[in-house]
Amino acid sequence: MNIILIAILALAGLAVAFGLLLGFAAVKFRVEGNPLVDQIDGLLPQTQCGQCGYPGCRPYAEAIAGGDAINKCPPGGQSTVEALADLLDVEAVPLEAGAEAEPVKMVAYIREDECIGCTKCIQACPVDAILGAAKQMHTVIESECTGCDLCVEPCPVDCIDMLPVQSGLSDWKWELPAPGVQQLIVTDRRGQLQGGAV
Amino acid sequence: MALIRTSSPHLHKASSTGDVMRLVILACMPGLAAMTLFFGWGTLINVCWAILLAVGLEAAIVLIRKRPVSFYLKDYSVVVTALLLGLSLPPYAPWWITLVGILVAVVIAKHLYGGLGQNPFNPAMVAYALLLVSFPVEMTRWTQPFVLLGDADSWNILPFTDTLRVIFTGFEPVWLDNYTGATPLDAMRHRGGMTTEEAWLSKPVLADGIGAWHAVSAAYFMGGIFLIYRKVITYHVPMAMLGALAVIASVFYAFDPYDFADPYFHITVGGTMLGAFFIATDPVTCATSNRGKIWFGIGIGLLIYVIRGWGGYPDAVAFAVLLMNLAAPFIDQYTQPRTYGHAKANRGMKGGQ
Amino acid sequence: MRTHFAFHGGVHPPENKKQSTGLAIQIAPVPETLVIPLSQHIGAPAEPVVRVGDRVLKGQIIAEAVGRISVNVHASSSGVVEAIEPRPIPHTSGMEAPCVVIRTDGLDEWIDHKGLDDYRRLKKADLIDYIREHGIAGMGGAGFPTDVKLHLGDDHIVNTLILNAMECEPYITADDMLIRERAEEIVSGIEIMAHLLKPHHIIIGTEDNKPQALRALEKAVRASQLDIDIISVPTVYPSGGEKQLIKLMTGIEVPSGRIPADIGIVCQNVGTAKAIHDAVHHGIPLISRVVTLTGLALQHPHNMEARIGTPFETLLGAAEVIESALYRLVMGGPMMGFTVPHDQIPVIKTTNCILAATIEEMPPAPPANPCIRCGMCEQVCPAELLPQQLHWFAKGKEFEKAKNHNLFDCIECGACSYVCPSNIPLVQYYRFAKAEIRAEEAEQRKADHARKRFEARQERLEREQAEKELRRKQRAEEAAKMQAVKQDKLQRHAEVSETAAEPDAKALKTAAAVARTKLKKAQQALKSAQDKGLEGIEALQATVTELEQKAAAAQAALEQAEKGAQPAAQLDSKQLKTAAAVARTKLKQAEKALQQAQDSGEGDLTELQAKVTELTAKAAQAQTAFEAAESGVAPAAVDIAGLKEAMDSAAVKVEKARQALADSEANGSPAVEKMRAGVEKLEQKYQSAKSDFEVANQQGQSNGVDLEALKADMEQASDKVKKAEAALQTARENGSPAADKMAAGVDKLKGKYEEARQAWLAAGGVEAVAEAKVEVDPKALKQQVSIMRTKLKKAQTAVEAAEAGEGDLDLAASEFERLTALYEDAKQAWDAYEAEQNDKAAAQGIDLKQLKIDAALARAAVTKAERALDKARETQPDDLDGMEEALLAARQKAEQLNQTLSRFTD
């Protein structure tokens, strides 16, 4: 009888202790809001292009947090899929069919002679990167353009082009060196091992 | 004018992985010679057999992985692995022991992890540990040093042809037992109720044969100093490992000299020297930074002592090295050097998962 | 001599310095053309102040600094500015950047220049400005503008001034030779710097492999009044790196991410000191520098004083390059220099060495082995990093980890790559990782920015929506009130003119619609079957015929019902009045057209005359009918609007049928005969509908009605029409399948509106003239045409795609047809407008059409000329002037015509 009592008391004591600990932790380490959505949103490219089927990046982030597929973001490319897979600890899947793994950064360009000033593109632009008034020629603020191409479709006279972002001296960068062995495999096959290995 | 475009630097020191590995092989030669001198042809035969198997196997696997064969064989890394395994095996280990060992070392411990540079565990030690666990009888049948065989003044080791027959044909005449015996560590461990002093006096391998072990250790030590001199390895791992082993052995020896062997014994017998200079220093599987290497070496030294003293196996270099291989990435995270311009070193792995 | 400290790591590559120290510094020849880049260092490029064709003198400013981190650029010899254009510059990428190209005249004529008499008398700021004006930039590594560093005394306390005379890179001897020959000038430059910075301590740091330079320095320093320490350290690479130098000299480390001035230290290169001396004492801007020419591909390696902008080619020629042996051309040293793709690259302020190496000297790196973590890189890293870990991270693109391992403290000295036994291009990995991280950070910033903008926009839209909602509510309330009032009135009105019970017109209408739909479907099926050559076409055709009959029957029944359902006894004098008015207007228009046609002598006069006559008759008829109605004679009232609708729809049907017929004729479809018959039938129907309408129109009568209520009716109808039209527009834009239905609805509404308006007019409402004459917006019309054309194009592509086997051909085809019709409409509207404008212009004696054609021709000529010019540029760039002139003339003409034209069109 005594033993049972001791056991019960011991368990009860432990329960109380851990309960307090958990309660304390819950208060101390409480997280405000849903940081997961913020984190996912932070990984998305913020083009707000809607190619994922959601009206903007944040809604898609919310959808991902709710369990939607992570491969619906063509502007982000495969790297975004991988980053999301890392964050959510799920399998990195290839992008949806038809999307390039490493999309080229684009920027919208209005052929200003042909612009009729209909303001349709201004309404379509999710980041207010197009400047112009009704019946006035419009122009794209390049630095603000996310390259979402949402403005291309509404243009009634097809005067908006998506051009690859020009790269210059300032953003030139070194490539990742080609792995030595693969280089070698190629040359090996041709039977002209250059420079000799070791 | 079409000139080449490459990233700087445009100069390279004339050294290669192959050079590094060849230096390691060269540094092993005194040890190999000492083993052959004191324990007979077995080790030499094992080493040659192991290298033969390893090179063939490496070539086959590289072919299967569709990589250029000559390029990979020229780095000599597989030769080093085979050499180290061959040196660790008992001299009369049958041929299939070596075969299994090389299979494990090259296929499982090296290439299944992605080949050179990618393996987390020292391949030779993975093979050795597996063999020790799987074939304890074959792996603990060590050879007597020649001084214990008959006339103490003559070099009467088992003849070369007989050794070949023993290794490759399973030929086991009755007189073979004369040539085999326990290692000093075995003798010390299984000494019955004797104190260490009594063991030193009564066990022939300790009383008379210990000189052979000392000589082999000295040979490895020489090779190790050569490697440090040639900057193939740094002093950190061997120093830390031997130091830690010496310190812990001294502590226990001072505390109870009757039950515990002296530190000199621990350092100079078994695989300690081979492990300190050739196995623990394997750059692929050891810690990266100099401080990390020190912790890595200390860990191995302590583990060797613990396993030798209280574990189930007489020698412990392989297990200690493998356990510390396991800990190396963790050590790396906490022993980054203090970078120029930083007040203190980074700790832990931020930015990873 | 003082003691020194040490830094971690370092390597000892073979020095190879002896080759180029055998000769004294030679003056390099003046090249034919100087190519002077506008940006020779970090910071903003300078702004050119000369124009192409200007003659410049040696030492003349050709580009001025923009912003703080920027310096002036000077001409380094006299000559004529040949071009200001992008040229290849010394950069790792081999890309181009704007340069001033000077064709030298060989006179090497100096601009007036004179040093300062006593710089100590000048204010410090003025002296620094003077140095900045003379284009002095750091001549060691990055070419940082020197004046910025000299300003540091303003907000930092400078304890130590360190002169970098290390020159730790192999091969380079430019500083060594400079010190040997110009030590006094260097010390004089140091004195100026010391005057500006007021350091407690001045150190010249050098390596022990330059004994001659050391002796020269010691001699010069002894002659100086300043207390300068010379510290010579054992040679090890990279002791000349700024951070390493500071550690060597002072034992202090520059904190990560900070500059030396933060710890009270300023570093300057000895070459910079000499340049400051030249500028201050002689007024010579930085227009030349000592360049080491070395490497096994040169027969005559030595140091040269080369003008900024001299192409490498000239210098290599002076050093007798063996072209065939040249394998790798490096600007800078072998450890940190970069390869340049060819020898047309100019010397800039930071070009300390040109290394022309043979393949034996610097063979290509052998293929990289895997990293075995041997740790040699770690032993030599002067920044105390873990290069092998950084390599793994860069290779695996784990940039966060790389950053956490202090990747950005890497100085890219190349020591790790130098010792790597696996020949891994480690530095390239770090450069790649750094660039990626920087790009990623920039992208992240951009993304955050985009997110903010997006959120701001969302907020704005929501706010606008809310405001709109509020306004709508208010309007709805008002409308409800109005509705109540009107309901009241309507009820009273309805009581007066209650019509006979309507027969089941609605049901009939539905039946007719159903029949039509079925018919359409069947037709489509038939068509696709014909296209595909499927079997069973006969059966389908039979079905179609049957359905056609049924549809016709349903339509007939409906029409009858509608006719019969018309309130028989209604007097509709207002409609008659309107009809009369309309007829009159038409008559007037026709008369006018006739008049114009007669004036201009264009168009078919007889036809127009006939039309006028006809209209005159009609107008008279309408008038009489109206008058008759007015006077109380009430013939059987007919629903004119209904008739008109019937007529219109018949017209549309005829049009469609005709088109279909034309199509099938073009396609050689077997159903042509039948279709032709169908078209004829439809035409007959149309004719009958038209005559019905006309008859009714003539018989219309009017009656006195409540004017106000009518106006309200009309306005409401107008509103509805507008809304409906807008809805229709959106529907069409979206390609909504409901667009057709909506169009019908809009037509109906329009009809109603027309009815209401006419009722009101008839009742005596006065419409403003401006309103009556439908305002035509030419731009809108033109846009409409343009829009329609684009849409049509899109549809066409869709059809083509469909034909290529993607998607539904029928759907695309029908969409295409629909759009064609829309386009035709828009085009017609535009044409009508244009015709009107034409007329206007004709009145002014100018043939607008002709003008337009002329303008178009002129534009075409311009385009052609441009194309020809482009082509000519590609093929024969010699004879361009003539063509350019032609183009200019064509452009002017086009411009003129356009202006004339715009007077009429706008």
Side-chain angles (χ1 to χ4, degrees):
Chain A
M1 189 62 204
N2 216 5
I3 293 170
I4 293 169
L5 201 67
I6 289 170
I8 288 171
L9 279 177
L11 282 176
L14 277 174
V16 169
F18 281 114
L20 285 173
L21 193 72
L22 282 174
F24 171 73
V27 174
K28 171 92 179 164
F29 302 109
R30 194 156 59 121
V31 204
E32 297 290 337
N34 186 357
L36 187 61
V37 172
D38 285 337
Q39 283 175 34
I40 297 171
D41 197 28
L43 291 176
L44 295 174
Q46 303 301 327
T47 48
Q48 320 291 356
C49 66
Q51 289 178 59
C52 49
Y54 295 93
C57 291
R58 188 155 184 101
Y60 181 42
E62 279 158 11
I64 291 176
D68 199 356
I70 59 172
N71 61 344
K72 294 184 175 175
C73 183
Q78 193 60 34
S79 56
T80 299
V81 174
E82 271 154 26
L84 287 170
D86 268 359
L87 175 70
L88 303 170
D89 210 13
V90 294
E91 196 75 18
V93 281
L95 272 176
E96 280 186 337
E100 293 164 55
E102 276 310 317
V104 186
K105 290 263 165 292
M106 303 293 253
V107 67
Y109 170 76
I110 295 180
R111 289 197 298 272
E112 293 170 353
D113 305 340
E114 291 168 41
C115 175
I116 56 170
C118 68
T119 75
K120 285 207 171 80
C121 52
I122 296 184
Q123 289 156 29
C125 181
V127 292
D128 283 339
I130 301 179
L131 210 63
K135 314 230 165 155
Q136 305 292 320
M137 176 265 284
H138 301 344
T139 194
V140 177
I141 310 170
E142 240 178 85
S143 59
E144 310 290 355
C145 177
T146 62
C148 66
D149 69 54
L150 285 182
C151 51
V152 174
E153 197 45 45
C155 179
V157 291
D158 266 356
C159 73
I160 304 183
D161 294 324
M162 296 307 293
L163 304 177
V165 174
Q166 290 283 317
S167 64
L169 271 178
S170 53
D171 49 4
W172 181 86
K173 54 189 184 190
W174 279 101
E175 307 252 306
L176 183 72
V181 177
Q182 266 152 37
Q183 234 175 332
L184 195 72
I185 293 171
V186 175
T187 47
D188 213 14
R189 235 176 250 149
R190 288 191 198 131
Q192 38 176 260
L193 198 73
Q194 279 183 353
V198 188
Chain B
M1 188 178 291
L3 301 168
I4 72 155
R5 258 176 64 194
T6 56
S7 171
S8 65
H10 308 289
L11 285 179
H12 293 279
K13 199 173 179 179
S15 74
S16 67
T17 313
D19 292 341
V20 172
M21 296 296 175
R22 279 193 290 271
L23 281 176
V24 174
I25 293 166
L26 191 64
C28 280
M29 286 305 128
L32 180 61
M35 286 291 286
T36 309
L37 181 66
F38 290 100
F39 297 98
W41 300 107
T43 302
L44 187 63
I45 292 167
N46 275 339
V47 164
C48 293
W49 170 233
I51 290 175
L52 203 70
L53 282 173
V55 170
L57 207 53
E58 171 98 349
I61 289 176
V62 166
L63 268 183
I64 291 169
R65 291 178 68 194
K66 296 199 172 65
R67 300 288 205 280
V69 177
S70 63
F71 179 74
Y72 274 98
L73 289 184
K74 275 179 188 165
D75 68 25
Y76 282 83
S77 61
V78 77
V79 178
V80 172
T81 301
L83 179 62
L84 293 177
L85 183 64
L87 288 173
S88 326
L89 291 175
Y92 295 155
W95 61 274
W96 51 268
I97 286 273
T98 314
L99 177 65
V100 172
I102 290 296
L103 267 173
V104 170
V106 176
V107 181
I108 294 175
K110 184 177 175 187
H111 279 290
L112 284 191
Y113 281 104
L116 181 62
Q118 309 279 348
N119 46 310
F121 300 106
N122 188 319
M125 288 304 102
V126 170
Y128 183 84
L130 184 113
L131 292 174
L132 188 58
V133 173
S134 310
F135 312 108
V137 176
E138 286 81 359
M139 289 297 287
T140 50
R141 190 178 64 179
W142 202 264
T143 316
Q144 301 266 44
F146 79 92
V147 285
L148 297 182
L149 301 171
D151 187 0
D153 295 332
S154 63
W155 189 47
N156 46 3
I157 55 169
L158 190 66
F160 184 72
T161 46
D162 283 344
T163 317
L164 272 182
R165 284 178 71 192
V166 168
I167 290 174
F168 285 100
T169 62
F171 171 64
E172 284 200 27
V174 187
W175 47 261
L176 188 63
D177 280 348
N178 294 335
Y179 287 93
T180 60
T183 64
L185 284 165
D186 261 337
M188 189 59 86
R189 186 174 172 72
H190 304 292
R191 60 179 189 263
M194 285 186 270
T195 63
T196 48
E197 205 171 341
E198 287 161 1
W200 275 110
L201 292 173
S202 60
K203 298 263 178 179
V205 71
L206 292 175
D208 303 320
I210 195 73
W213 295 91
H214 285 169
V216 170
S217 285
Y220 284 134
F221 183 73
M222 268 168 56
I225 296 299
F226 171 73
L227 286 184
I228 291 174
Y229 169 71
R230 292 300 302 265
K231 291 188 176 163
V232 171
I233 59 171
T234 61
Y235 63 87
H236 302 85
V237 173
M239 189 198 74
M241 175 180 152
L242 297 177
L245 184 58
V247 167
I248 191 171
S250 307
V251 168
F252 279 95
Y253 183 65
F255 175 69
D256 184 0
Y258 300 107
D259 280 341
F260 297 102
D262 59 296
Y264 184 67
F265 172 78
H266 273 292
I267 285 175
T268 52
V269 299
T272 313
M273 280 296 172
L274 180 67
F277 288 97
F278 294 92
I279 292 166
T281 52
D282 169 25
V284 177
T285 54
C286 106
T288 356
S289 69
N290 289 345
R291 283 184 332 120
K293 282 177 188 157
I294 290 175
W295 286 112
F296 182 78
I298 290 174
I300 293 176
L302 297 182
L303 280 171
I304 287 176
Y305 191 81
V306 168
I307 298 171
R308 274 184 188 171
W310 297 281
Y313 293 95
D315 203 353
V317 175
F319 294 110
V321 168
L322 289 176
L323 281 171
M324 288 314 288
N325 283 165
L326 203 63
F330 176 77
I331 295 174
D332 279 346
Q333 290 180 16
Y334 284 89
T335 55
Q336 293 174 37
R338 184 198 62 91
T339 304
Y340 180 103
H342 288 256
K344 58 183 174 60
N346 290 330
R347 289 280 179 276
M349 186 64 73
K350 279 176 216 147
Q353 293 94 50
Chain C
M1 279 230 263
R2 283 186 47 214
T3 51
H4 61 86
F5 302 85
F7 62 88
H8 178 266
V11 290
H12 297 92
E15 287 183 11
N16 284 313
K17 296 207 181 216
K18 294 267 183 299
Q19 294 93 316
S20 53
T21 54
L23 278 171
I25 300 172
Q26 314 281 306
I27 303 294
V30 181
E32 267 182 42
T33 46
L34 288 164
V35 181
I36 305 178
L38 293 174
S39 175
Q40 306 188 12
H41 46 73
I42 47 176
E47 191 66 39
V49 292
V50 290
R51 271 175 303 177
V52 177
D54 286 359
R55 179 158 196 272
V56 292
L57 296 173
K58 187 177 181 181
Q60 183 180 335
I61 293 180
I62 52 173
E64 273 177 359
V66 179
R68 185 154 183 231
I69 301 184
S70 184
V71 292
N72 290 352
V73 178
H74 301 75
S76 46
S77 185
S78 60
V80 177
V81 177
E82 196 176 58
I84 299 174
E85 62 185 19
R87 289 282 180 106
I89 57 155
H91 187 271
T92 332
S93 65
M95 281 178 166
E96 298 186 338
C99 298
V100 175
V101 184
I102 299 172
R103 180 161 292 279
T104 54
D105 52 17
L107 302 172
D108 213 19
E109 189 181 338
W110 263 103
I111 198 165
D112 280 343
H113 66 290
K114 186 163 125 341
L116 297 169
D117 294 333
D118 186 358
Y119 64 84
R120 280 165 227 273
R121 273 198 229 147
L122 240 60
K123 267 197 276 178
K124 269 191 195 176
D126 293 342
L127 182 54
I128 292 172
D129 279 348
Y130 182 85
I131 289 170
R132 176 183 162 105
E133 266 163 34
H134 283 72
I136 315 284
M139 294 168 81
F144 199 77
T146 302
D147 62 290
V148 180
K149 276 186 173 180
L150 294 177
H151 260 302
L152 287 170
D154 297 351
D155 39 29
H156 291 86
I157 298 163
V158 178
N159 285 315
T160 313
L161 171 65
I162 299 177
L163 268 293
N164 190 346
M166 289 288 184
E167 205 160 51
C168 58
E169 279 235 28
Y171 287 95
I172 310 179
T173 55
D175 286 352
D176 185 6
M177 294 306 289
L178 185 77
I179 298 169
R180 287 190 205 183
E181 298 184 14
R182 322 261 162 93
E184 289 80 17
E185 294 165 30
I186 291 167
V187 172
S188 157
I190 295 172
E191 281 168 359
I192 299 166
M193 286 194 262
H195 167 70
L196 286 168
L197 291 169
K198 296 267 180 283
H200 297 298
H201 194 185
I202 304 168
I203 304 171
I204 301 176
T206 181
E207 280 184 338
D208 60 6
N209 59 356
K210 298 183 258 296
Q212 282 164 290
L214 186 64
R215 274 198 297 279
L217 267 181
E218 278 169 351
K219 197 174 150 219
V221 165
R222 267 197 299 277
S224 164
Q225 312 226 316
L226 281 175
D227 178 24
I228 300 174
D229 276 330
I230 301 173
I231 301 181
S232 177
V233 298
T235 306
V236 60
Y237 177 84
S239 58
E242 194 174 58
K243 291 177 169 186
Q244 281 64 42
L245 176 66
I246 290 170
K247 177 99 196 241
L248 273 171
M249 297 294 120
T250 65
I252 304 171
E253 289 183 2
V254 182
S256 175
R258 312 288 289 279
I259 57 168
D262 291 332
I263 51 168
I265 294 171
V266 171
C267 282
Q268 293 282 11
N269 181 268
V270 285
T272 318
K274 194 237 165 204
I276 290 176
H277 163 83
D278 285 349
V280 172
H281 290 288
H282 305 298
I284 300 174
L286 181 46
I287 53 168
S288 68
R289 68 155 297 141
V290 179
V291 180
T292 304
L293 279 130
T294 186
L296 286 182
L298 301 180
Q299 289 176 308
H300 192 54
H302 64 296
N303 280 279
M304 269 194 260
E305 178 152 3
R307 287 168 176 75
I308 306 298
T310 309
F312 285 7
E313 186 187 18
T314 310
L315 302 180
L316 289 175
E320 291 165 32
V321 67
I322 309 163
E323 290 263 358
S324 55
L326 182 59
Y327 173 71
R328 188 186 313 228
L329 193 57
V330 179
M331 183 186 127
M335 298 300 284
M336 290 181 81
F338 51 85
T339 52
V340 293
H342 51 77
D343 60 7
Q344 294 306 312
I345 307 281
V347 168
I348 58 169
K349 292 175 184 175
T350 54
T351 309
N352 50 4
C353 179
I354 298 170
L355 181 48
T358 60
I359 191 162
E360 294 79 20
E361 195 175 12
M362 292 182 186
N369 280 60
C371 171
I372 55 166
R373 296 174 194 260
C374 65
M376 289 187 190
C377 45
E378 188 201 337
Q379 304 305 324
V380 300
C381 179
E384 291 163 80
L385 298 163
L386 287 175
Q388 73 274 48
Q389 298 290 77
L390 292 176
H391 157 245
W392 288 106
F393 296 146
K395 200 173 181 180
K397 301 190 178 173
E398 295 173 288
F399 298 132
E400 277 302 306
K401 285 187 190 170
K403 238 163 85 180
N404 193 241
H405 275 68
N406 301 328
L407 172 65
F408 281 91
D409 285 298
C410 168
I411 58 167
E412 298 175 18
C413 67
C416 48
S417 299
Y418 175 73
V419 296
C420 181
S422 298
N423 296 305
I424 301 169
L426 290 164
V427 176
Q428 196 180 338
Y429 276 105
Y430 309 148
R431 284 180 173 150
F432 161 76
K434 282 179 180 180
E436 286 294 315
I437 291 170
R438 285 197 194 106
E440 228 169 61
E441 279 172 355
E443 218 155 86
Q444 193 59 46
R445 272 198 300 278
K446 202 175 170 195
D448 287 342
H449 189 64
R451 184 188 0 247
K452 264 182 218 142
R453 286 181 76 88
F454 178 65
E455 279 162 9
R457 181 187 148 89
Q458 292 299 103
E459 209 174 288
R460 197 192 73 222
L461 289 182
E462 268 165 34
R463 203 177 53 234
E464 279 172 4
Q465 191 64 37
E467 279 166 9
K468 222 187 247 171
E469 196 63 38
L470 197 70
R471 279 204 299 275
R472 190 175 297 148
K473 247 183 214 161
Q474 283 167 353
R475 266 207 309 277
E477 274 166 27
E478 275 167 35
K481 262 185 234 156
M482 292 277 289
Q483 196 73 28
V485 174
K486 210 171 65 187
Q487 207 75 48
D488 229 28
K489 277 180 190 164
L490 265 183
Q491 227 151 26
R492 264 182 276 146
H493 186 67
E495 274 159 22
V496 178
S497 59
E498 191 59 46
T499 59
E502 251 181 71
D504 204 356
K506 238 183 203 169
L508 278 172
K509 218 174 204 171
T510 323
V514 169
R516 271 202 303 275
T517 318
K518 271 188 190 163
L519 177 58
K520 228 183 245 167
K521 271 188 197 159
Q523 275 168 339
Q524 253 170 25
L526 176 59
K527 199 175 172 200
S528 77
Q530 279 168 346
D531 286 352
K532 289 171 192 158
L534 286 180
E535 282 175 34
I537 293 181
E538 275 85 13
L540 273 170
Q541 261 169 349
T543 319
V544 171
T545 327
E546 200 182 323
L547 282 168
E548 266 173 353
Q549 281 165 3
K550 269 189 191 164
Q555 190 66 26
L558 173 64
E559 273 162 18
Q560 230 167 7
E562 273 175 348
K563 261 186 210 162
Q566 291 311 320
Q570 230 189 53
L571 299 178
D572 208 355
S573 86
K574 61 176 176 172
Q575 276 179 0
L576 280 174
K577 192 177 177 183
T578 321
V582 167
R584 273 202 302 276
T585 319
K586 271 189 188 162
L587 177 59
K588 253 181 220 162
Q589 274 175 356
E591 275 172 350
K592 210 167 153 188
L594 180 59
Q595 184 69 30
Q596 277 161 1
Q598 278 168 343
D599 286 352
S600 62
E602 262 192 18
D604 195 344
L605 281 177
T606 39
E607 200 182 311
L608 278 169
Q609 258 162 356
K611 211 174 178 185
V612 171
T613 330
E614 195 188 338
L615 283 168
T616 321
K618 266 188 193 166
Q621 262 177 358
Q623 192 62 26
T624 35
F626 170 60
E627 275 160 11
E630 281 277 85
S631 57
V633 184
V638 189
D639 183 355
I640 296 179
L643 281 174
K644 184 150 190 232
E645 212 177 308
M647 182 184 82
D648 285 348
S649 80
V652 173
K653 271 184 197 159
V654 170
E655 191 60 33
K656 269 190 194 157
R658 269 194 192 135
Q659 233 163 39
L661 179 59
D663 278 357
S664 43
E665 267 174 351
N667 297 339
S669 169
V672 173
E673 284 306 318
K674 230 182 218 164
M675 289 183 99
R676 201 167 276 155
V679 169
E680 272 162 23
K681 222 196 246 169
L682 281 168
E683 261 170 3
Q684 276 168 14
K685 256 190 197 166
Y686 170 62
Q687 288 303 340
S688 73
K690 201 176 169 187
S691 58
D692 277 357
F693 170 65
E694 274 161 7
V695 169
N697 230 354
Q698 283 158 15
Q699 290 171 351
Q701 272 193 356
S702 88
N703 203 359
V705 201
D706 184 347
L707 197 63
E708 220 157 278
L710 279 174
K711 193 171 177 188
D713 273 359
M714 181 184 87
E715 274 166 5
Q716 207 185 4
S718 160
D719 268 3
K720 273 187 192 161
V721 169
K722 265 182 207 154
K723 269 186 203 162
E725 269 177 340
L728 175 60
Q729 187 69 18
T730 16
R732 275 195 184 142
E733 270 156 19
N734 300 336
S736 163
D740 282 334
K741 268 189 200 156
M742 288 179 89
V746 170
D747 281 347
K748 227 191 256 170
L749 281 169
K750 267 189 191 153
K752 272 191 188 159
Y753 165 64
E754 197 60 28
E755 229 175 294
R757 196 169 76 99
Q758 280 174 5
W760 177 64
L761 280 177
V766 182
E767 210 170 14
V769 180
E771 263 174 38
K773 199 179 162 207
V774 183
E775 188 70 55
V776 184
D777 185 350
K779 245 190 195 162
L781 271 176
K782 194 167 184 191
Q783 277 169 22
Q784 195 67 22
V785 175
S786 178
I787 290 168
M788 283 309 164
R789 198 186 295 132
T790 311
K791 277 199 182 151
L792 196 58
K793 235 188 260 162
K794 278 184 195 165
Q796 209 160 6
T797 0
V799 172
E800 272 158 20
E803 271 168 2
E806 303 162 25
D808 191 345
L809 180 63
D810 289 340
L811 202 69
S814 63
E815 175 70 8
F816 179 62
E817 271 164 28
R818 191 176 67 77
L819 284 169
T820 314
L822 284 173
Y823 170 62
E824 286 300 326
D825 284 354
K827 185 96 199 299
Q828 271 165 18
W830 169 244
D831 286 347
Y833 167 74
E834 239 180 358
E836 200 181 313
Q837 292 298 326
N838 241 333
D839 295 346
K840 254 196 235 164
Q844 289 186 35
I846 301 168
D847 191 351
L848 191 60
K849 214 172 199 174
Q850 193 54 44
L851 196 59
K852 233 174 206 176
I853 291 166
D854 283 353
L857 278 176
R859 273 202 295 271
V862 170
T863 320
K864 244 186 232 166
E866 275 172 345
R867 265 189 212 142
L869 186 58
D870 280 348
K871 212 173 188 180
R873 275 202 188 112
E874 277 165 22
T875 51
Q876 46 191 127
D878 305 335
D879 183 28
L880 288 177
D881 290 2
M883 296 188 92
E884 261 164 21
E885 266 171 35
L887 175 59
L888 217 61
R891 271 199 191 132
Q892 271 168 4
K893 197 177 169 195
E895 193 56 33
Q896 226 171 2
L897 282 166
N898 262 343
Q899 269 171 12
T900 324
L901 189 58
S902 63
R903 265 194 288 149
F904 294 106
T905 43
D906 284 327

